[in-house]
Every structure is written in C-alpha cells, then in structure tokens.
C-alpha cells in the first residue's frame, strides 16, 4: 500500500512517527500551516513557522524517504487576533515558494467577521497565485459552517475542483458532495471520524474527489490512521486499486493542480541541507 497523507501536522510529531509512517507505506505528506495550541503574539512567530514548514520539516521527512510539501495561510482561529492579522500581508512571499502546493488551512473556526475577511482575502490569493485551497470546516456548528464555507468559495471565483473542504463527516459530506469541491476526511482515534465510518462514506459517495488524512498533530491523533482506513476498505471488499486511488492517486491529482508537486525524491534518503549531506540506511 502506498500512502499520501494530504493533511498532517508533522511539526508536532517525532522521528519515531516518521519511521513508523515510512514502514507503513507513507511516501508523501502535505503539512498545512495551522495554529500551534499556544497563541502566537506577533507575525515573526509565523514566518519562523512557515520557514520551518518549507525548510526543516521537508529535511526531516526526507531522512525517511518521505516527500514533504506544505500549504501556507493565516489559520481561521488566529485570524481573530489583531496581533496576527498582519500575517496576511506576508503570505505572498511564501505562496511563491516551490514546496507550497496550496493556500491553507483557511476557512472558519467561530465564523466571526474577521474570519470572513481573512477567508475571502486568502481565497483571492489562491486565485492570484494559481494555487488550490485547503479549507478547514469548524468543529462546532459544523453543518451551518460548511454551508457558509461553500457560499464563500462559490463567490470567490475559484473553481470548485481546486478547493478541498476538510474535516467532513456524514452530515457535511452530503452538503459538499454536489458543490464540485474535493471532500477531505480527517480520521481520529477516539472522536469524530473513524476508519469504519470512513468506509461507509466511501460506499455511499464513491471514490471521486475523496481525500483521507490523519491530520495528526499535538492532540490525540495517530499518523497511521490512513493505513488503518486502507485496511478497513480492503476488509469491506474494496480492491487494492480502490485503496490506491483514495490513498495515493486522489491526493496526487488534487495537489498536482499547483504545478509544484514534486515526487521524484520518494524513497531517497540522501538529502543535502544547509551545505551538509546526510545518508541513512546504507543504500
Ligand atoms: Zn489541520
């Protein structure tokens, strides 16, 4: 099984996780910029974080033969903090970078006017920089938030096939399905979406425009839940080709729209970083 995790926060994970992921078949990841738990108090905290998402983290992933790309944005939660909003003006310099394959995560947390403004401005940036958009849906008031999200996306002028609406469940999948947007599902160990529930959703809606991710971060999460979902699909009668489509070809197709997805280094553990070369595994 080859796996592309289209939404995972590796900054929060250890090298043990990278090793387990590589052993499980994870060959590529996309790490969206998001909030870090502790509120940030100035734009410099964001630029250091963004730099690490396109510099240090791809290097770490590369040590395990995993290719790492990022999405960059001011996240919805911190869009409410006046100390963080100037980050919106710093985004263009990152949206030009080779390893940045989408604008994200953008969208709603509490659906405030400041979130409206940041969401609309960043969808406009996706249009301007010819990038797809990765959209987070709120964990509270989810159905309303998802409908509102789709209205704002439709008004932005961004083509729906260039937008992934993430963190969906049974209810919100029904809402997003006919919009033409991609449907993202974050699989969690204890709450929200589980592998068996995901299999039911795939049965109901088919495999088209479906993205499955582990969203693993600093909370209770598991970077191998993509693998578990693939296994649950096989146990439920889906074919190896079906699993490959959901866990590999779909995320490749979505992020390839950026024109920047570069998977040539998969499996290579030799990387050059800051002038020094490291090699692992003796191959
Ligand atoms: Zn996330």
């Amino acid at each position: 099984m080859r796996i592309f995790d289209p939404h995972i926060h590796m900054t929060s994970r250890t090298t043990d996780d990278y090793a387990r992921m590589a052993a499980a078949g994870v060959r590529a990841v996309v790490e969206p910029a998001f909030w870090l738990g502790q509120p940030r108090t100035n734009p410099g905290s964001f630029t250091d974080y963004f730099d690490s998402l396109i510099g240090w983290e791809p290097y770490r992933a590369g040590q395990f033969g995993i290719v790492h790309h990022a999405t960059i944005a001011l996240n919805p939660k911190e869009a409410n903090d006046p100390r963080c909003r100037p980050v919106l003006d710093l985004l263009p310099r990152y949206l030009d970078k080779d390893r940045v394959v989408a604008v994200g995560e953008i969208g709603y947390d509490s659906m405030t006017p400041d979130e409206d403004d940041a969401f609309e401005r960043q969808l406009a940036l996706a249009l301007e920089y010819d990038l797809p958009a990765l959209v987070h849906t709120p964990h509270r008031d989810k159905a309303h938030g998802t409908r509102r999200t789709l209205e704002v996306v439709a008004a932005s002028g961004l083509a729906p096939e260039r937008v992934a609406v993430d963190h969906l469940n049974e209810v919100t999948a029904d809402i997003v399905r006919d919009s033409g947007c991609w449907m993202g599902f974050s699989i969690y160990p204890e709450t929200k979406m589980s592998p068996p529930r995901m299999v039911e959703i795939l049965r109901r809606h088919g495999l088209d425009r479906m993205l499955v991710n582990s969203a693993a971060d600093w909370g209770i999460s598991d970077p191998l839940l993509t693998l578990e979902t693939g296994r649950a699909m096989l146990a439920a009668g889906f074919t190896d080709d079906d699993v490959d489509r959901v866990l590999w070809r779909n995320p490749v197709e979505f992020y390839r729209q950026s024109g920047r997805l570069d998977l040539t280094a998969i499996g290579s553990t030799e990387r050059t970083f800051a002038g020094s070369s490291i090699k692992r595994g003796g191959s």
Side-chain angles (χ1 to χ4, degrees), residues 30-34 46 49-51 53-54 70-75 87 90-95 97 99-106 122 125 131-132:
V30 168
E31 176 157 7
F34 203 48
F46 284 82
Y49 171 59
F50 295 159
D51 286 337
L53 290 184
I54 57 174
T71 79
I72 297 288
L74 173 61
N75 64 80
V87 170
L90 302 174
L91 294 175
R93 93 160 81 132
Y94 288 94
L95 299 182
K97 303 276 187 193
R99 303 211 71 83
V100 176
V101 291
V103 176
E105 300 175 51
I106 53 177
Q122 294 184 100
L125 283 172
L131 286 171

PDB file of all heavy atoms in Angstrom, residues 30-34 46 49-51 53-54 70-75 87 90-95 97 99-106 122 125 131-132:
ATOM      1  N   VAL A  30       1.488  16.226   2.957  1.00  0.00           N
ATOM      2  CA  VAL A  30       1.341  17.680   2.874  1.00  0.00           C
ATOM      3  C   VAL A  30       1.018  18.182   4.275  1.00  0.00           C
ATOM      4  O   VAL A  30       0.127  17.646   4.952  1.00  0.00           O
ATOM      5  CB  VAL A  30       0.247  18.098   1.872  1.00  0.00           C
ATOM      6  CG1 VAL A  30      -0.077  19.584   2.023  1.00  0.00           C
ATOM      7  CG2 VAL A  30       0.710  17.820   0.440  1.00  0.00           C
ATOM      8  N   GLU A  31       1.771  19.175   4.695  1.00  0.00           N
ATOM      9  CA  GLU A  31       1.591  19.740   6.036  1.00  0.00           C
ATOM     10  C   GLU A  31       1.005  21.143   5.930  1.00  0.00           C
ATOM     11  O   GLU A  31       1.672  22.076   5.482  1.00  0.00           O
ATOM     12  CB  GLU A  31       2.935  19.795   6.774  1.00  0.00           C
ATOM     13  CG  GLU A  31       2.815  20.469   8.137  1.00  0.00           C
ATOM     14  CD  GLU A  31       3.917  20.078   9.107  1.00  0.00           C
ATOM     15  OE1 GLU A  31       4.869  19.379   8.691  1.00  0.00           O
ATOM     16  OE2 GLU A  31       3.818  20.458  10.286  1.00  0.00           O
ATOM     17  N   PRO A  32      -0.249  21.320   6.322  1.00  0.00           N
ATOM     18  CA  PRO A  32      -0.852  22.650   6.274  1.00  0.00           C
ATOM     19  C   PRO A  32      -0.404  23.495   7.465  1.00  0.00           C
ATOM     20  O   PRO A  32      -0.240  22.977   8.575  1.00  0.00           O
ATOM     21  CB  PRO A  32      -2.363  22.371   6.375  1.00  0.00           C
ATOM     22  CG  PRO A  32      -2.515  20.882   6.266  1.00  0.00           C
ATOM     23  CD  PRO A  32      -1.213  20.294   6.710  1.00  0.00           C
ATOM     24  N   ALA A  33      -0.220  24.783   7.214  1.00  0.00           N
ATOM     25  CA  ALA A  33       0.044  25.718   8.310  1.00  0.00           C
ATOM     26  C   ALA A  33      -1.221  25.829   9.142  1.00  0.00           C
ATOM     27  O   ALA A  33      -2.319  25.986   8.620  1.00  0.00           O
ATOM     28  CB  ALA A  33       0.430  27.081   7.742  1.00  0.00           C
ATOM     29  N   PHE A  34      -1.045  25.766  10.457  1.00  0.00           N
ATOM     30  CA  PHE A  34      -2.211  25.860  11.342  1.00  0.00           C
ATOM     31  C   PHE A  34      -1.807  26.515  12.645  1.00  0.00           C
ATOM     32  O   PHE A  34      -0.710  27.027  12.784  1.00  0.00           O
ATOM     33  CB  PHE A  34      -2.807  24.455  11.569  1.00  0.00           C
ATOM     34  CG  PHE A  34      -4.263  24.505  11.964  1.00  0.00           C
ATOM     35  CD1 PHE A  34      -5.168  25.288  11.265  1.00  0.00           C
ATOM     36  CD2 PHE A  34      -4.730  23.760  13.051  1.00  0.00           C
ATOM     37  CE1 PHE A  34      -6.506  25.321  11.636  1.00  0.00           C
ATOM     38  CE2 PHE A  34      -6.069  23.797  13.424  1.00  0.00           C
ATOM     39  CZ  PHE A  34      -6.952  24.571  12.733  1.00  0.00           C
ATOM     40  N   PHE A  46       5.045  33.561  13.008  1.00  0.00           N
ATOM     41  CA  PHE A  46       4.504  32.850  11.838  1.00  0.00           C
ATOM     42  C   PHE A  46       5.578  32.634  10.787  1.00  0.00           C
ATOM     43  O   PHE A  46       5.654  31.560  10.187  1.00  0.00           O
ATOM     44  CB  PHE A  46       3.345  33.649  11.221  1.00  0.00           C
ATOM     45  CG  PHE A  46       2.075  33.554  12.005  1.00  0.00           C
ATOM     46  CD1 PHE A  46       1.864  34.355  13.104  1.00  0.00           C
ATOM     47  CD2 PHE A  46       1.079  32.656  11.643  1.00  0.00           C
ATOM     48  CE1 PHE A  46       0.695  34.276  13.837  1.00  0.00           C
ATOM     49  CE2 PHE A  46      -0.089  32.560  12.369  1.00  0.00           C
ATOM     50  CZ  PHE A  46      -0.290  33.377  13.475  1.00  0.00           C
ATOM     51  N   TYR A  49       7.733  29.828  11.658  1.00  0.00           N
ATOM     52  CA  TYR A  49       6.984  28.574  11.464  1.00  0.00           C
ATOM     53  C   TYR A  49       6.886  28.226   9.978  1.00  0.00           C
ATOM     54  O   TYR A  49       7.155  27.091   9.569  1.00  0.00           O
ATOM     55  CB  TYR A  49       5.606  28.759  12.085  1.00  0.00           C
ATOM     56  CG  TYR A  49       4.591  27.663  11.821  1.00  0.00           C
ATOM     57  CD1 TYR A  49       4.818  26.343  12.204  1.00  0.00           C
ATOM     58  CD2 TYR A  49       3.373  27.964  11.207  1.00  0.00           C
ATOM     59  CE1 TYR A  49       3.866  25.355  11.985  1.00  0.00           C
ATOM     60  CE2 TYR A  49       2.412  26.986  10.985  1.00  0.00           C
ATOM     61  CZ  TYR A  49       2.665  25.679  11.375  1.00  0.00           C
ATOM     62  OH  TYR A  49       1.722  24.710  11.155  1.00  0.00           O
ATOM     63  N   PHE A  50       6.532  29.205   9.149  1.00  0.00           N
ATOM     64  CA  PHE A  50       6.420  28.950   7.705  1.00  0.00           C
ATOM     65  C   PHE A  50       7.773  28.490   7.141  1.00  0.00           C
ATOM     66  O   PHE A  50       7.830  27.568   6.319  1.00  0.00           O
ATOM     67  CB  PHE A  50       5.964  30.204   6.949  1.00  0.00           C
ATOM     68  CG  PHE A  50       4.565  30.673   7.292  1.00  0.00           C
ATOM     69  CD1 PHE A  50       4.190  31.997   7.046  1.00  0.00           C
ATOM     70  CD2 PHE A  50       3.614  29.812   7.828  1.00  0.00           C
ATOM     71  CE1 PHE A  50       2.908  32.442   7.329  1.00  0.00           C
ATOM     72  CE2 PHE A  50       2.325  30.248   8.126  1.00  0.00           C
ATOM     73  CZ  PHE A  50       1.972  31.572   7.881  1.00  0.00           C
ATOM     74  N   ASP A  51       8.842  29.153   7.587  1.00  0.00           N
ATOM     75  CA  ASP A  51      10.173  28.751   7.101  1.00  0.00           C
ATOM     76  C   ASP A  51      10.473  27.309   7.476  1.00  0.00           C
ATOM     77  O   ASP A  51      11.059  26.556   6.693  1.00  0.00           O
ATOM     78  CB  ASP A  51      11.255  29.676   7.684  1.00  0.00           C
ATOM     79  CG  ASP A  51      11.247  31.050   7.019  1.00  0.00           C
ATOM     80  OD1 ASP A  51      10.756  31.155   5.869  1.00  0.00           O
ATOM     81  OD2 ASP A  51      11.710  32.022   7.652  1.00  0.00           O
ATOM     82  N   LEU A  53       8.273  24.977   7.852  1.00  0.00           N
ATOM     83  CA  LEU A  53       7.421  24.098   7.033  1.00  0.00           C
ATOM     84  C   LEU A  53       7.976  23.876   5.623  1.00  0.00           C
ATOM     85  O   LEU A  53       7.656  22.877   4.982  1.00  0.00           O
ATOM     86  CB  LEU A  53       6.005  24.676   6.908  1.00  0.00           C
ATOM     87  CG  LEU A  53       5.133  24.667   8.157  1.00  0.00           C
ATOM     88  CD1 LEU A  53       3.744  25.187   7.824  1.00  0.00           C
ATOM     89  CD2 LEU A  53       5.033  23.278   8.752  1.00  0.00           C
ATOM     90  N   ILE A  54       8.775  24.804   5.142  1.00  0.00           N
ATOM     91  CA  ILE A  54       9.323  24.613   3.792  1.00  0.00           C
ATOM     92  C   ILE A  54      10.831  24.316   3.813  1.00  0.00           C
ATOM     93  O   ILE A  54      11.426  24.105   2.766  1.00  0.00           O
ATOM     94  CB  ILE A  54       9.044  25.833   2.873  1.00  0.00           C
ATOM     95  CG1 ILE A  54       9.607  27.113   3.478  1.00  0.00           C
ATOM     96  CG2 ILE A  54       7.544  25.979   2.623  1.00  0.00           C
ATOM     97  CD1 ILE A  54       9.494  28.321   2.561  1.00  0.00           C
ATOM     98  N   ALA A  70       4.035  21.705   1.699  1.00  0.00           N
ATOM     99  CA  ALA A  70       3.278  22.463   2.705  1.00  0.00           C
ATOM    100  C   ALA A  70       2.176  23.284   2.047  1.00  0.00           C
ATOM    101  O   ALA A  70       2.204  23.544   0.838  1.00  0.00           O
ATOM    102  CB  ALA A  70       4.221  23.389   3.473  1.00  0.00           C
ATOM    103  N   THR A  71       1.202  23.662   2.853  1.00  0.00           N
ATOM    104  CA  THR A  71       0.262  24.709   2.458  1.00  0.00           C
ATOM    105  C   THR A  71       0.445  25.842   3.460  1.00  0.00           C
ATOM    106  O   THR A  71       0.733  25.594   4.637  1.00  0.00           O
ATOM    107  CB  THR A  71      -1.207  24.232   2.457  1.00  0.00           C
ATOM    108  OG1 THR A  71      -1.710  24.219   3.806  1.00  0.00           O
ATOM    109  CG2 THR A  71      -1.354  22.848   1.848  1.00  0.00           C
ATOM    110  N   ILE A  72       0.317  27.069   2.993  1.00  0.00           N
ATOM    111  CA  ILE A  72       0.612  28.233   3.835  1.00  0.00           C
ATOM    112  C   ILE A  72      -0.611  29.141   3.921  1.00  0.00           C
ATOM    113  O   ILE A  72      -1.283  29.394   2.912  1.00  0.00           O
ATOM    114  CB  ILE A  72       1.810  29.023   3.253  1.00  0.00           C
ATOM    115  CG1 ILE A  72       3.098  28.174   3.262  1.00  0.00           C
ATOM    116  CG2 ILE A  72       2.021  30.349   4.004  1.00  0.00           C
ATOM    117  CD1 ILE A  72       3.729  27.913   4.605  1.00  0.00           C
ATOM    118  N   ALA A  73      -0.892  29.623   5.128  1.00  0.00           N
ATOM    119  CA  ALA A  73      -2.019  30.551   5.334  1.00  0.00           C
ATOM    120  C   ALA A  73      -1.991  31.090   6.761  1.00  0.00           C
ATOM    121  O   ALA A  73      -1.284  30.570   7.622  1.00  0.00           O
ATOM    122  CB  ALA A  73      -3.345  29.829   5.100  1.00  0.00           C
ATOM    123  N   LEU A  74      -2.803  32.111   6.985  1.00  0.00           N
ATOM    124  CA  LEU A  74      -3.173  32.509   8.345  1.00  0.00           C
ATOM    125  C   LEU A  74      -4.403  31.678   8.700  1.00  0.00           C
ATOM    126  O   LEU A  74      -5.428  31.745   8.011  1.00  0.00           O
ATOM    127  CB  LEU A  74      -3.509  34.005   8.406  1.00  0.00           C
ATOM    128  CG  LEU A  74      -4.076  34.491   9.749  1.00  0.00           C
ATOM    129  CD1 LEU A  74      -3.091  34.283  10.902  1.00  0.00           C
ATOM    130  CD2 LEU A  74      -4.480  35.969   9.665  1.00  0.00           C
ATOM    131  N   ASN A  75      -4.288  30.869   9.755  1.00  0.00           N
ATOM    132  CA  ASN A  75      -5.390  29.971  10.108  1.00  0.00           C
ATOM    133  C   ASN A  75      -6.590  30.757  10.653  1.00  0.00           C
ATOM    134  O   ASN A  75      -6.445  31.865  11.152  1.00  0.00           O
ATOM    135  CB  ASN A  75      -4.903  28.923  11.111  1.00  0.00           C
ATOM    136  CG  ASN A  75      -4.490  29.564  12.421  1.00  0.00           C
ATOM    137  OD1 ASN A  75      -5.327  29.894  13.251  1.00  0.00           O
ATOM    138  ND2 ASN A  75      -3.190  29.783  12.598  1.00  0.00           N
ATOM    139  N   VAL A  87      -0.043  39.038   9.274  1.00  0.00           N
ATOM    140  CA  VAL A  87       0.494  37.866   8.555  1.00  0.00           C
ATOM    141  C   VAL A  87      -0.093  37.797   7.147  1.00  0.00           C
ATOM    142  O   VAL A  87       0.580  37.352   6.208  1.00  0.00           O
ATOM    143  CB  VAL A  87       0.182  36.569   9.351  1.00  0.00           C
ATOM    144  CG1 VAL A  87       0.506  35.334   8.534  1.00  0.00           C
ATOM    145  CG2 VAL A  87       0.953  36.563  10.666  1.00  0.00           C
ATOM    146  N   LEU A  90       2.118  39.101   4.652  1.00  0.00           N
ATOM    147  CA  LEU A  90       3.392  38.392   4.447  1.00  0.00           C
ATOM    148  C   LEU A  90       3.226  37.139   3.586  1.00  0.00           C
ATOM    149  O   LEU A  90       4.206  36.526   3.164  1.00  0.00           O
ATOM    150  CB  LEU A  90       3.978  37.969   5.805  1.00  0.00           C
ATOM    151  CG  LEU A  90       4.227  39.097   6.804  1.00  0.00           C
ATOM    152  CD1 LEU A  90       4.670  38.520   8.140  1.00  0.00           C
ATOM    153  CD2 LEU A  90       5.284  40.059   6.261  1.00  0.00           C
ATOM    154  N   LEU A  91       1.974  36.739   3.349  1.00  0.00           N
ATOM    155  CA  LEU A  91       1.746  35.465   2.656  1.00  0.00           C
ATOM    156  C   LEU A  91       2.304  35.417   1.238  1.00  0.00           C
ATOM    157  O   LEU A  91       2.852  34.388   0.834  1.00  0.00           O
ATOM    158  CB  LEU A  91       0.252  35.124   2.653  1.00  0.00           C
ATOM    159  CG  LEU A  91      -0.347  34.825   4.032  1.00  0.00           C
ATOM    160  CD1 LEU A  91      -1.850  34.616   3.908  1.00  0.00           C
ATOM    161  CD2 LEU A  91       0.306  33.604   4.662  1.00  0.00           C
ATOM    162  N   PRO A  92       2.171  36.502   0.437  1.00  0.00           N
ATOM    163  CA  PRO A  92       2.632  36.399  -0.950  1.00  0.00           C
ATOM    164  C   PRO A  92       4.053  35.886  -1.090  1.00  0.00           C
ATOM    165  O   PRO A  92       4.351  35.090  -1.985  1.00  0.00           O
ATOM    166  CB  PRO A  92       2.504  37.840  -1.461  1.00  0.00           C
ATOM    167  CG  PRO A  92       1.330  38.371  -0.698  1.00  0.00           C
ATOM    168  CD  PRO A  92       1.494  37.781   0.691  1.00  0.00           C
ATOM    169  N   ARG A  93       4.934  36.264  -0.177  1.00  0.00           N
ATOM    170  CA  ARG A  93       6.328  35.822  -0.327  1.00  0.00           C
ATOM    171  C   ARG A  93       6.451  34.299  -0.188  1.00  0.00           C
ATOM    172  O   ARG A  93       7.320  33.676  -0.775  1.00  0.00           O
ATOM    173  CB  ARG A  93       7.230  36.580   0.656  1.00  0.00           C
ATOM    174  CG  ARG A  93       7.468  35.928   1.974  1.00  0.00           C
ATOM    175  CD  ARG A  93       8.717  36.466   2.679  1.00  0.00           C
ATOM    176  NE  ARG A  93       8.481  37.715   3.363  1.00  0.00           N
ATOM    177  CZ  ARG A  93       8.866  37.945   4.624  1.00  0.00           C
ATOM    178  NH1 ARG A  93       9.508  37.035   5.316  1.00  0.00           N
ATOM    179  NH2 ARG A  93       8.635  39.103   5.185  1.00  0.00           N
ATOM    180  N   TYR A  94       5.530  33.680   0.582  1.00  0.00           N
ATOM    181  CA  TYR A  94       5.566  32.216   0.745  1.00  0.00           C
ATOM    182  C   TYR A  94       4.803  31.496  -0.360  1.00  0.00           C
ATOM    183  O   TYR A  94       5.140  30.379  -0.730  1.00  0.00           O
ATOM    184  CB  TYR A  94       5.012  31.822   2.121  1.00  0.00           C
ATOM    185  CG  TYR A  94       5.980  32.203   3.208  1.00  0.00           C
ATOM    186  CD1 TYR A  94       5.852  33.415   3.878  1.00  0.00           C
ATOM    187  CD2 TYR A  94       7.064  31.389   3.502  1.00  0.00           C
ATOM    188  CE1 TYR A  94       6.773  33.792   4.838  1.00  0.00           C
ATOM    189  CE2 TYR A  94       7.986  31.751   4.444  1.00  0.00           C
ATOM    190  CZ  TYR A  94       7.838  32.960   5.122  1.00  0.00           C
ATOM    191  OH  TYR A  94       8.764  33.336   6.053  1.00  0.00           O
ATOM    192  N   LEU A  95       3.772  32.138  -0.880  1.00  0.00           N
ATOM    193  CA  LEU A  95       2.942  31.469  -1.890  1.00  0.00           C
ATOM    194  C   LEU A  95       3.691  31.315  -3.216  1.00  0.00           C
ATOM    195  O   LEU A  95       3.229  30.617  -4.122  1.00  0.00           O
ATOM    196  CB  LEU A  95       1.628  32.225  -2.086  1.00  0.00           C
ATOM    197  CG  LEU A  95       0.770  32.292  -0.812  1.00  0.00           C
ATOM    198  CD1 LEU A  95      -0.539  33.017  -1.087  1.00  0.00           C
ATOM    199  CD2 LEU A  95       0.486  30.904  -0.236  1.00  0.00           C
ATOM    200  N   LYS A  97       6.769  30.021  -3.218  1.00  0.00           N
ATOM    201  CA  LYS A  97       7.825  29.017  -2.984  1.00  0.00           C
ATOM    202  C   LYS A  97       7.479  27.667  -3.626  1.00  0.00           C
ATOM    203  O   LYS A  97       6.323  27.251  -3.647  1.00  0.00           O
ATOM    204  CB  LYS A  97       8.034  28.799  -1.479  1.00  0.00           C
ATOM    205  CG  LYS A  97       8.366  30.053  -0.717  1.00  0.00           C
ATOM    206  CD  LYS A  97       9.827  30.380  -0.785  1.00  0.00           C
ATOM    207  CE  LYS A  97      10.139  31.553   0.155  1.00  0.00           C
ATOM    208  NZ  LYS A  97      11.451  32.124  -0.076  1.00  0.00           N
ATOM    209  N   ARG A  99       7.865  24.570  -2.646  1.00  0.00           N
ATOM    210  CA  ARG A  99       7.285  23.468  -1.863  1.00  0.00           C
ATOM    211  C   ARG A  99       5.868  23.771  -1.385  1.00  0.00           C
ATOM    212  O   ARG A  99       5.264  22.944  -0.694  1.00  0.00           O
ATOM    213  CB  ARG A  99       8.167  23.134  -0.660  1.00  0.00           C
ATOM    214  CG  ARG A  99       9.595  22.783  -1.008  1.00  0.00           C
ATOM    215  CD  ARG A  99      10.181  21.807  -0.027  1.00  0.00           C
ATOM    216  NE  ARG A  99       9.602  20.492  -0.171  1.00  0.00           N
ATOM    217  CZ  ARG A  99       9.995  19.588  -1.075  1.00  0.00           C
ATOM    218  NH1 ARG A  99      10.972  19.856  -1.890  1.00  0.00           N
ATOM    219  NH2 ARG A  99       9.400  18.423  -1.149  1.00  0.00           N
ATOM    220  N   VAL A 100       5.338  24.932  -1.733  1.00  0.00           N
ATOM    221  CA  VAL A 100       3.994  25.313  -1.280  1.00  0.00           C
ATOM    222  C   VAL A 100       2.980  24.934  -2.357  1.00  0.00           C
ATOM    223  O   VAL A 100       3.007  25.454  -3.467  1.00  0.00           O
ATOM    224  CB  VAL A 100       3.937  26.817  -0.960  1.00  0.00           C
ATOM    225  CG1 VAL A 100       2.526  27.235  -0.584  1.00  0.00           C
ATOM    226  CG2 VAL A 100       4.914  27.141   0.161  1.00  0.00           C
ATOM    227  N   VAL A 101       2.083  23.996  -2.019  1.00  0.00           N
ATOM    228  CA  VAL A 101       1.191  23.415  -3.021  1.00  0.00           C
ATOM    229  C   VAL A 101      -0.269  23.844  -2.863  1.00  0.00           C
ATOM    230  O   VAL A 101      -1.127  23.386  -3.614  1.00  0.00           O
ATOM    231  CB  VAL A 101       1.288  21.871  -3.026  1.00  0.00           C
ATOM    232  CG1 VAL A 101       2.640  21.429  -3.569  1.00  0.00           C
ATOM    233  CG2 VAL A 101       1.047  21.293  -1.639  1.00  0.00           C
ATOM    234  N   ALA A 102      -0.563  24.705  -1.882  1.00  0.00           N
ATOM    235  CA  ALA A 102      -1.926  25.229  -1.733  1.00  0.00           C
ATOM    236  C   ALA A 102      -1.908  26.375  -0.725  1.00  0.00           C
ATOM    237  O   ALA A 102      -0.937  26.544   0.022  1.00  0.00           O
ATOM    238  CB  ALA A 102      -2.902  24.153  -1.269  1.00  0.00           C
ATOM    239  N   VAL A 103      -2.992  27.140  -0.720  1.00  0.00           N
ATOM    240  CA  VAL A 103      -3.245  28.104   0.347  1.00  0.00           C
ATOM    241  C   VAL A 103      -4.076  27.373   1.405  1.00  0.00           C
ATOM    242  O   VAL A 103      -5.117  26.799   1.090  1.00  0.00           O
ATOM    243  CB  VAL A 103      -4.019  29.327  -0.189  1.00  0.00           C
ATOM    244  CG1 VAL A 103      -4.369  30.279   0.953  1.00  0.00           C
ATOM    245  CG2 VAL A 103      -3.214  30.052  -1.254  1.00  0.00           C
ATOM    246  N   GLY A 104      -3.612  27.328   2.639  1.00  0.00           N
ATOM    247  CA  GLY A 104      -4.385  26.625   3.657  1.00  0.00           C
ATOM    248  C   GLY A 104      -3.620  26.483   4.966  1.00  0.00           C
ATOM    249  O   GLY A 104      -2.418  26.742   5.007  1.00  0.00           O
ATOM    250  N   GLU A 105      -4.294  26.081   6.033  1.00  0.00           N
ATOM    251  CA  GLU A 105      -5.719  25.925   6.128  1.00  0.00           C
ATOM    252  C   GLU A 105      -6.381  27.276   6.330  1.00  0.00           C
ATOM    253  O   GLU A 105      -5.995  28.032   7.216  1.00  0.00           O
ATOM    254  CB  GLU A 105      -6.088  25.044   7.330  1.00  0.00           C
ATOM    255  CG  GLU A 105      -5.521  23.650   7.284  1.00  0.00           C
ATOM    256  CD  GLU A 105      -5.825  22.872   8.577  1.00  0.00           C
ATOM    257  OE1 GLU A 105      -6.984  22.801   9.017  1.00  0.00           O
ATOM    258  OE2 GLU A 105      -4.868  22.343   9.152  1.00  0.00           O
ATOM    259  N   ILE A 106      -7.395  27.506   5.508  1.00  0.00           N
ATOM    260  CA  ILE A 106      -8.206  28.698   5.661  1.00  0.00           C
ATOM    261  C   ILE A 106      -9.638  28.248   5.970  1.00  0.00           C
ATOM    262  O   ILE A 106      -9.913  27.052   6.002  1.00  0.00           O
ATOM    263  CB  ILE A 106      -8.158  29.564   4.383  1.00  0.00           C
ATOM    264  CG1 ILE A 106      -8.531  28.736   3.138  1.00  0.00           C
ATOM    265  CG2 ILE A 106      -6.775  30.151   4.206  1.00  0.00           C
ATOM    266  CD1 ILE A 106      -8.577  29.554   1.846  1.00  0.00           C
ATOM    267  N   GLN A 122      -7.776  35.310   1.459  1.00  0.00           N
ATOM    268  CA  GLN A 122      -6.863  34.203   1.131  1.00  0.00           C
ATOM    269  C   GLN A 122      -7.368  33.375  -0.054  1.00  0.00           C
ATOM    270  O   GLN A 122      -6.573  32.828  -0.812  1.00  0.00           O
ATOM    271  CB  GLN A 122      -6.605  33.358   2.372  1.00  0.00           C
ATOM    272  CG  GLN A 122      -5.822  34.185   3.409  1.00  0.00           C
ATOM    273  CD  GLN A 122      -5.446  33.388   4.638  1.00  0.00           C
ATOM    274  OE1 GLN A 122      -4.317  32.931   4.764  1.00  0.00           O
ATOM    275  NE2 GLN A 122      -6.384  33.229   5.566  1.00  0.00           N
ATOM    276  N   LEU A 125      -6.052  35.214  -2.825  1.00  0.00           N
ATOM    277  CA  LEU A 125      -4.625  34.921  -3.028  1.00  0.00           C
ATOM    278  C   LEU A 125      -4.445  33.597  -3.785  1.00  0.00           C
ATOM    279  O   LEU A 125      -3.549  33.472  -4.625  1.00  0.00           O
ATOM    280  CB  LEU A 125      -3.892  34.850  -1.682  1.00  0.00           C
ATOM    281  CG  LEU A 125      -3.575  36.190  -1.009  1.00  0.00           C
ATOM    282  CD1 LEU A 125      -3.042  35.955   0.400  1.00  0.00           C
ATOM    283  CD2 LEU A 125      -2.550  36.987  -1.832  1.00  0.00           C
ATOM    284  N   LEU A 131      -3.087  28.716  -7.121  1.00  0.00           N
ATOM    285  CA  LEU A 131      -2.915  27.582  -6.216  1.00  0.00           C
ATOM    286  C   LEU A 131      -4.278  27.036  -5.797  1.00  0.00           C
ATOM    287  O   LEU A 131      -5.251  27.784  -5.701  1.00  0.00           O
ATOM    288  CB  LEU A 131      -2.161  28.025  -4.955  1.00  0.00           C
ATOM    289  CG  LEU A 131      -0.669  28.284  -5.099  1.00  0.00           C
ATOM    290  CD1 LEU A 131      -0.131  28.934  -3.828  1.00  0.00           C
ATOM    291  CD2 LEU A 131       0.085  26.993  -5.395  1.00  0.00           C
ATOM    292  N   PRO A 132      -4.343  25.729  -5.496  1.00  0.00           N
ATOM    293  CA  PRO A 132      -5.553  25.192  -4.864  1.00  0.00           C
ATOM    294  C   PRO A 132      -5.692  25.750  -3.438  1.00  0.00           C
ATOM    295  O   PRO A 132      -4.753  26.358  -2.909  1.00  0.00           O
ATOM    296  CB  PRO A 132      -5.285  23.679  -4.818  1.00  0.00           C
ATOM    297  CG  PRO A 132      -4.092  23.432  -5.636  1.00  0.00           C
ATOM    298  CD  PRO A 132      -3.324  24.708  -5.726  1.00  0.00           C
TER     299      PRO A 132
END
